[in-house]
Protein backbone atom coordinates (compact mmCIF):
# COMPACT_ATOMS: atom_id res chain seq x y z
CA UNK A 1 0.00 0.00 0.00
CA UNK A 2 1.56 3.22 -1.10
CA UNK A 3 0.93 6.57 0.52
CA UNK A 4 0.84 9.55 -1.75
CA UNK A 5 2.15 12.94 -0.62
CA UNK A 6 -1.35 14.41 -0.54
CA UNK A 7 -2.55 11.61 1.76
CA UNK A 8 0.49 12.08 3.96
CA UNK A 9 -0.38 15.73 4.50
CA UNK A 10 -3.83 14.80 5.89
CA UNK A 11 -2.66 11.77 7.84
CA UNK A 12 0.13 13.43 9.88
CA UNK A 13 -2.04 16.00 11.70
CA UNK A 14 -4.60 13.33 12.54
CA UNK A 15 -2.02 10.99 14.11
CA UNK A 16 -1.77 13.16 17.22
CA UNK A 17 -5.55 13.19 17.57
CA UNK A 18 -5.70 9.44 17.15
CA UNK A 19 -2.90 8.87 19.65
CA UNK A 20 -4.74 11.00 22.23
CA UNK A 21 -7.95 9.06 21.69
CA UNK A 22 -6.12 5.74 21.91
CA UNK A 23 -4.39 6.70 25.16
CA UNK A 24 -7.72 7.83 26.67
CA UNK A 25 -9.36 4.57 25.65
CA UNK A 26 -6.52 2.56 27.17
CA UNK A 27 -6.70 4.49 30.44
CA UNK A 28 -10.46 4.03 30.58
CA UNK A 29 -10.22 0.31 30.00
CA UNK A 30 -7.53 0.00 32.69
CA UNK A 31 -9.72 1.97 35.12
CA UNK A 32 -12.74 -0.19 34.31
CA UNK A 33 -10.71 -3.35 34.83
CA UNK A 34 -9.51 -2.16 38.24
CA UNK A 35 -13.06 -1.19 39.24
CA UNK A 36 -14.36 -4.60 38.17
CA UNK A 37 -11.58 -6.36 40.06
CA UNK A 38 -12.35 -4.39 43.20
CA UNK A 39 -16.05 -5.15 42.89
CA UNK A 40 -15.33 -8.82 42.38
CA UNK A 41 -13.13 -8.92 45.48
CA UNK A 42 -15.90 -7.28 47.53
CA UNK A 43 -18.47 -9.77 46.27
CA UNK A 44 -16.14 -12.64 47.02
CA UNK A 45 -15.56 -11.42 50.56
CA UNK A 46 -19.29 -10.92 51.12
CA UNK A 47 -20.08 -14.40 49.84
CA UNK A 48 -17.48 -15.90 52.15
CA UNK A 49 -19.06 -14.18 55.14
CA UNK A 50 -22.55 -15.25 54.12
CA UNK A 51 -21.50 -18.89 53.92
CA UNK A 52 -19.97 -18.76 57.39
CA UNK A 53 -23.11 -17.19 58.84
CA UNK A 54 -25.31 -19.82 57.22
CA UNK A 55 -23.33 -22.74 58.59
CA UNK A 56 -23.53 -21.39 62.14
CA UNK A 57 -27.28 -20.96 61.96
CA UNK A 58 -27.74 -24.39 60.41
CA UNK A 59 -25.82 -26.01 63.24
CA UNK A 60 -28.14 -24.40 65.76
CA UNK A 61 -31.19 -25.63 63.89
CA UNK A 62 -29.82 -29.15 63.71
CA UNK A 63 -29.21 -29.21 67.45
CA UNK A 64 -32.72 -27.96 68.10
CA UNK A 65 -34.08 -30.65 65.81
CA UNK A 66 -32.06 -33.27 67.64
CA UNK A 67 -33.42 -32.11 70.97
CA UNK A 68 -36.93 -32.17 69.59
CA UNK A 69 -36.47 -35.67 68.22
CA UNK A 70 -35.16 -36.87 71.59
CA UNK A 71 -38.14 -35.34 73.34
CA UNK A 72 -40.49 -36.83 70.78
CA UNK A 73 -38.94 -40.26 71.29
CA UNK A 74 -39.36 -39.96 75.06
CA UNK A 75 -42.94 -38.79 74.65
CA UNK A 76 -43.69 -41.72 72.34
CA UNK A 77 -42.23 -44.20 74.82
CA UNK A 78 -44.19 -42.64 77.64
CA UNK A 79 -47.42 -42.64 75.65
CA UNK A 80 -46.85 -46.28 74.61
CA UNK A 81 -46.46 -47.25 78.27
CA UNK A 82 -49.66 -45.44 79.15
CA UNK A 83 -51.48 -47.08 76.26
CA UNK A 84 -50.28 -50.51 77.38
CA UNK A 85 -51.51 -49.85 80.89
CA UNK A 86 -54.87 -48.77 79.54
CA UNK A 87 -55.13 -51.74 77.20
CA UNK A 88 -54.13 -54.38 79.74
CA UNK A 89 -57.19 -53.99 81.95
CA UNK A 90 -59.38 -53.93 78.88
CA UNK A 91 -57.81 -57.12 77.58
CA UNK A 92 -58.72 -58.95 80.77
CA UNK A 93 -62.34 -58.07 80.35
CA UNK A 94 -62.33 -58.94 76.69
CA UNK A 95 -60.75 -62.35 77.19
CA UNK A 96 -63.00 -63.33 80.09
CA UNK A 97 -66.04 -65.38 79.15
CA UNK A 98 -68.69 -66.25 81.67
CA UNK A 99 -70.49 -69.49 80.86
CA UNK A 100 -73.36 -71.09 82.84
CA UNK A 101 -74.24 -74.71 82.44
Amino acid sequence: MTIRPVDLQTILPKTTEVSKVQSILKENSDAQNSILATGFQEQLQASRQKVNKRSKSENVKIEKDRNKSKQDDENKKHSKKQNRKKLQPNKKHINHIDVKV
Side-chain angles (χ1 to χ4, degrees):
M1 180 170 148
T2 60
I3 299 175
R4 296 179 289 174
V6 175
D7 294 335
L8 190 59
Q9 288 178 351
T10 57
I11 289 176
L12 284 177
K14 290 187 178 183
T15 56
T16 56
E17 293 175 22
V18 171
S19 67
K20 286 179 185 178
V21 170
Q22 289 295 324
S23 66
I24 290 171
L25 288 175
K26 185 176 185 243
E27 289 174 4
N28 284 343
S29 66
D30 291 343
Q32 287 177 351
N33 287 340
S34 66
I35 290 170
L36 287 174
T38 305
F40 179 73
Q41 290 296 329
E42 290 174 357
Q43 286 178 347
L44 185 63
Q45 185 66 25
S47 67
R48 285 180 183 165
Q49 290 175 353
K50 285 182 183 178
V51 170
N52 289 336
K53 289 180 184 177
R54 285 182 189 162
S55 66
K56 288 179 183 177
S57 64
E58 286 176 357
N59 288 337
V60 172
K61 288 181 182 177
I62 290 172
E63 290 177 7
K64 287 182 182 179
D65 291 341
R66 287 182 184 167
N67 291 337
K68 283 184 181 179
S69 65
K70 287 180 183 178
Q71 289 175 352
D72 289 341
D73 289 342
E74 290 175 4
N75 289 339
K76 286 180 183 177
K77 287 179 183 178
H78 184 68
S79 66
K80 282 183 181 179
K81 287 180 182 179
Q82 287 180 348
N83 287 340
R84 285 182 186 167
K85 288 179 182 178
K86 288 180 182 177
L87 291 177
Q88 285 177 354
N90 291 340
K91 284 184 179 179
K92 288 181 182 178
H93 293 290
I94 293 172
N95 293 334
H96 180 71
I97 300 175
D98 189 22
V99 179
K100 289 184 180 179
V101 183

